[in-house]
Amino acid sequence: MGNAWWKEAVIYQIYPRSFYDSNNDGIGDIQGIIKKLDYLKDLGVTALWVCPFYESPMDDNGYDVSNFYNIAPEYGTLDDVKQLIEELHARGMRLIIDLVLNHTSDEHPWFIESRSSENNPYRDYYIWRKARPDGSLPSNWESFFGGSVWEYDATTDSYYMHIFSKKMPDLNWTNENMRNDIYEMIRWWLNQGVDGFRVDAVAHLDKNMEFPNHPTLPGRQYSGCYFEFSNRPKVHEYIREMRQKAFAGYDIVTIGEAGGATIEDALKYSAYDRNEFDMLITFDHCWVDEDSEGSPHVPGKWSYKKLELPLLKKSFKKYQVNMYGKAWNTLYWSNHDQPRVVSHYGNDSSKYHKLSAKMLATTLYMMGGTPIIYQGEEIGMTNVAFESLSDYRDVEIFTLYRETVGKGIASHEEIMDRIHKRSRDNARTPMQWDDSPYAGFSKVQPWINVNPNYVYINVKNNLQDEDSIYHYYRKLLNIRQNSKTLIYGKFNLFLEDDANIVLYTRELDNEIYLVLCNFFDNTVEVKLPDEINIENFALVISNYEGQKITRNMILRPYEAIVYRKQLSI
Ligand code: TEU
Ligand code: CA
């Protein structure tokens, strides 16, 4: 297993719309990112992953691309992106951009051509089917955003497939011309100087083109048979081809996003000897508190139950152990599609906000893999609970509401509660820079309301307070970046079935780190297993006044401690 810059990187994910508005039109932009580069460099960030900034009607905030070669005017220009690359490189940092290859916008010229007639050369760039002989939809599959995956188009009396919103028609990856056009576009971006790609929704490129119907759950019109368009065999052929024809010859990093992938799938996508991706983003650990069975009337991602810590630990262990030496992990708690982690797995009450945010960081970023920190996580930004549906912006929320409340399947109160806990807009409220109006994100009303807690959760406070979440992140990342053991060491999980404690070691050559965290708000006693020799461990970092290691320890609420020792040889 060789060393590589991206294995030693700290990636920071930016959702451009919500990061910083440089020209006060209420929308974050590329110049806004440039203005904050010193802040990010200071935190310890070495690379940015910036979510899509391409020209787009913004049905899904830019994941619906209408021109891959141009920048959305509200975000800036191609020159701004070039400047961003230069400014990053001048600071020894890198730029990873988002590549959206599963679909385009319905306003992309390819789709406009495609829908115009059945014999248009672009017809097969997308997936078109006629109604079934009985007049029903080509299949009863459910879209990720709710509703059918099929949308009727009168021009040719046919349906096109969209696994996300109906303004995001799926590309037909069986079409070689389409694939070659995509590869050309990728090389064009490489020539602009980008350092890598996060490849969006890549698990879904291959679909079962037979389109069989599947059983539906009681009360539901469509079948959530995502396996018909996720992690299917041909995806790997496409990725290998893309690597050969588009990625080869550049010193870049490629990160695939593969929702629903098992560990076996994950190894196929990212094992060193597979020549597919360098790293993979999966969702396993984000979904361990899902409760599909308890609430079959809503899609699984909107369901939840109390977290069982052993399930979370097993999820991490699965990746840490099975990938070791074979593939490289990503480490992330949150992104623009997940609720805020301090509200989800931590505790956002004023009493435990700081402690639990630091504990979560310690638990994750001492593991093996490349950290991907989502904007605002470093100051403990929390979920938001807007009262009115009209305060929300995410297209997915409106399809959920229509398919449940709209069809009499659930009450308004229930669905609002699910939106408060699970919606993607939790992660998309503007970055909280200071306590001035609109959180210093903009001088005007932003495209989505700021979280009212910006008056006390903001970057300015965090920078001033030595004991802040920000300063803890900075210290923790620094420790990590200066330790080959924390980057390349072997992971060992202990007390796997313990309901409260996370305990693991990282080991390389003659150095060992020990990470010990209490995941909840009660005080717990823990006996360190006899197989761990506790002698000579010294404190490295803690979110409390540090305590010495002993065989029997008492951990305070959300206490997190890291110890280190050198083995004598
Ligand atoms: O998300 C993809 C995504 O969430 C699904 O593909 C996921 O794989 C699925 O839920 C697993 O079961 C990406 C972006 O991150 C998101 O913001 C976009 O809305 C989406 O793709 C469409 O581009
Ligand atoms: Ca702006």
Side-chain angles (χ1 to χ4, degrees):
M1 163 174 78
N3 297 21
W5 67 262
W6 43 267
K7 292 180 181 173
E8 303 186 7
V10 172
I11 299 175
Y12 187 91
Q13 185 197 344
I14 290 186
Y15 199 63
R17 206 170 189 75
S18 305
F19 189 62
Y20 185 61
D21 175 17
S22 73
N23 62 347
N24 296 307
D25 63 354
I27 299 173
D29 43 56
I30 294 165
Q31 283 299 331
I33 303 175
I34 294 173
K35 291 214 158 55
K36 299 296 183 183
L37 290 183
D38 289 330
Y39 165 76
L40 296 172
K41 168 115 188 155
D42 238 40
L43 175 63
V45 171
T46 67
L48 301 186
W49 150 27
V50 181
C51 286
F53 42 57
Y54 310 97
E55 204 175 279
S56 160
M58 301 288 167
D59 185 54
D60 187 22
N61 291 344
Y63 279 97
D64 48 323
V65 179
S66 55
N67 183 349
F68 291 110
Y69 294 92
N70 217 350
I71 309 304
E74 61 216 280
Y75 292 158
T77 61
L78 188 57
D79 280 338
D80 291 326
V81 174
K82 288 185 186 163
Q83 188 190 341
L84 174 63
I85 295 172
E86 276 167 28
E87 299 259 5
L88 279 165
H89 289 177
R91 289 170 177 79
M93 298 163 83
R94 291 176 158 98
L95 180 65
I96 298 165
I97 64 171
D98 222 300
L99 267 183
V100 191
L101 307 182
N102 177 71
H103 45 268
T104 66
S105 162
D106 63 343
E107 298 179 33
H108 191 288
W110 293 347
F111 190 72
I112 295 171
E113 292 288 328
S114 182
R115 78 184 335 169
S116 67
S117 81
E118 284 180 34
N119 46 28
N120 185 284
Y122 287 93
R123 182 67 171 182
D124 287 336
Y125 271 43
Y126 297 86
I127 302 168
W128 292 96
R129 286 294 182 277
K130 296 285 181 194
R132 293 188 170 221
D134 64 0
S136 63
L137 295 171
S139 73
N140 68 347
W141 302 358
E142 183 169 48
S143 138
F144 284 123
F145 286 0
S148 168
V149 299
W150 298 102
E151 182 70 14
Y152 182 69
D153 196 56
T155 319
T156 55
D157 185 31
S158 306
Y159 292 84
Y160 64 84
M161 189 185 194
H162 63 89
I163 66 170
F164 296 99
S165 99
K166 64 176 189 221
K167 281 187 67 61
M168 298 154 80
D170 280 56
L171 286 164
N172 175 10
W173 273 76
T174 67
N175 183 326
E176 197 182 346
N177 291 339
M178 189 287 294
R179 296 203 304 275
N180 285 334
D181 279 353
I182 290 283
Y183 304 148
E184 190 183 315
M185 177 275 289
I186 295 174
R187 285 194 306 272
W188 185 85
W189 274 104
L190 284 168
N191 292 332
Q192 308 306 311
V194 301
D195 304 293
F197 302 105
R198 177 264 189 187
V199 188
D200 184 66
V202 75
H204 313 305
L205 302 187
D206 178 22
K207 282 100 178 160
N208 180 356
M209 297 294 227
E210 306 280 316
F211 304 114
N213 277 340
H214 287 285
T216 54
L217 289 168
R220 300 267 294 279
Q221 195 175 348
Y222 306 107
S223 169
C225 52
Y226 303 137
F227 58 88
E228 290 289 23
F229 45 89
S230 302
N231 304 301
R232 298 177 58 86
K234 277 221 180 81
V235 166
H236 300 286
E237 287 174 31
Y238 300 141
I239 299 170
R240 285 169 185 227
E241 182 184 80
M242 180 158 39
R243 181 149 176 148
Q244 263 174 23
K245 294 197 173 173
F247 298 152
Y250 292 85
D251 178 23
I252 55 168
V253 65
T254 59
I255 310 171
E257 185 213 25
T262 60
I263 180 71
E264 291 76 25
D265 294 324
L267 282 163
K268 285 188 195 154
Y269 283 113
S270 62
Y272 301 130
D273 58 6
R274 293 272 307 175
N275 290 317
E276 296 192 18
F277 290 118
D278 297 318
M279 295 190 262
L280 199 68
I281 293 173
T282 60
F283 297 91
D284 220 60
H285 65 288
C286 299
W287 291 341
V288 295
D289 61 345
E290 250 195 32
D291 184 25
S292 315
E293 279 168 31
S295 36
H297 60 301
V298 290
K301 64 159 290 181
W302 297 99
S303 67
Y304 51 86
K305 57 185 174 199
K306 195 175 172 296
L307 170 68
E308 287 173 50
L309 182 61
L311 295 180
L312 187 61
K313 288 190 278 185
K314 283 182 192 14
S315 166
F316 282 126
K317 179 183 169 185
K318 191 163 67 185
Y319 281 84
Q320 292 291 311
V321 171
N322 291 306
M323 307 266 274
Y324 192 69
K326 294 192 193 126
W328 193 256
N329 272 297
T330 52
L331 300 175
Y332 80 95
W333 269 133
S334 33
N335 59 37
H336 63 295
D337 295 335
Q338 299 295 327
R340 288 284 179 180
V341 71
V342 70
S343 302
H344 183 196
Y345 288 148
N347 184 330
D348 60 14
S349 71
S350 55
K351 190 164 178 198
Y352 292 128
H353 174 245
K354 256 190 193 180
L355 283 168
S356 69
K358 294 175 185 178
M359 179 282 290
L360 288 168
T362 314
T363 294
L364 185 65
Y365 298 126
M366 297 288 98
M367 290 187 198
T370 299
I372 306 181
I373 296 164
Y374 182 61
Q375 67 183 40
E377 185 193 312
E378 79 279 18
I379 55 166
M381 278 179 65
T382 70
N383 280 355
V384 72
F386 296 135
E387 253 172 62
S388 158
L389 193 66
S390 63
D391 286 330
Y392 284 92
R393 294 291 174 267
D394 183 3
V395 50
E396 185 190 50
I397 291 174
F398 301 105
T399 40
L400 170 77
Y401 196 88
R402 194 186 65 216
E403 294 292 317
T404 54
V405 184
K407 291 187 172 165
I409 292 171
S411 70
H412 169 80
E413 288 68 30
E414 180 198 323
I415 295 304
M416 287 310 287
D417 185 59
R418 293 189 186 279
I419 291 170
H420 293 162
K421 294 221 173 46
R422 305 287 313 157
S423 94
R424 306 193 299 180
D425 276 346
N426 281 309
R428 299 176 178 185
T429 60
M431 179 77 180
Q432 294 164 203
W433 293 103
D434 59 39
D435 59 1
S436 66
Y438 312 120
F441 162 77
S442 177
K443 291 202 169 56
V444 303
Q445 167 63 40
W447 68 277
I448 186 171
N449 287 338
V450 295
N451 188 323
N453 66 21
Y454 75 89
V455 283
Y456 53 94
I457 299 178
N458 61 56
V459 169
K460 193 169 160 217
N461 282 351
N462 268 261
L463 290 174
Q464 279 160 4
D465 171 9
E466 282 291 304
D467 185 42
S468 67
I469 299 170
Y470 167 89
H471 282 293
Y472 190 87
Y473 263 74
R474 192 166 180 265
K475 199 167 154 194
L476 194 73
L477 293 174
N478 191 270
I479 292 166
R480 178 189 170 87
Q481 291 318 94
N482 287 302
S483 162
K484 290 277 177 238
T485 305
L486 289 174
I487 296 175
Y488 294 106
K490 191 169 186 301
F491 171 94
N492 268 306
L493 183 69
F494 298 89
L495 305 180
E496 186 169 325
D497 295 316
D498 186 286
N500 301 295
I501 298 289
V502 174
L503 173 63
Y504 65 86
T505 56
R506 300 289 309 286
E507 202 171 335
L508 189 75
D509 301 331
N510 55 347
E511 191 181 45
I512 305 185
Y513 280 84
L514 185 144
V515 179
L516 178 60
C517 297
N518 175 4
F519 222 82
F520 298 103
D521 63 359
N522 40 340
T523 299
V524 290
E525 281 178 54
V526 53
K527 179 175 183 287
L528 301 187
D530 292 331
E531 48 195 310
I532 299 180
N533 174 355
I534 61 170
E535 266 163 54
N536 298 325
F537 269 118
L539 181 75
V540 176
I541 187 171
S542 171
N543 59 353
Y544 282 81
E545 203 106 322
Q547 54 168 317
K548 274 211 191 115
I549 196 165
T550 51
R551 185 61 62 194
N552 293 291
M553 297 184 71
I554 294 179
L555 293 188
R556 292 158 280 188
Y558 300 105
E559 183 157 4
I561 322 175
V562 180
Y563 299 103
R564 172 189 169 272
K565 78 165 141 188
Q566 202 82 31
L567 300 174
S568 44
I569 343 160

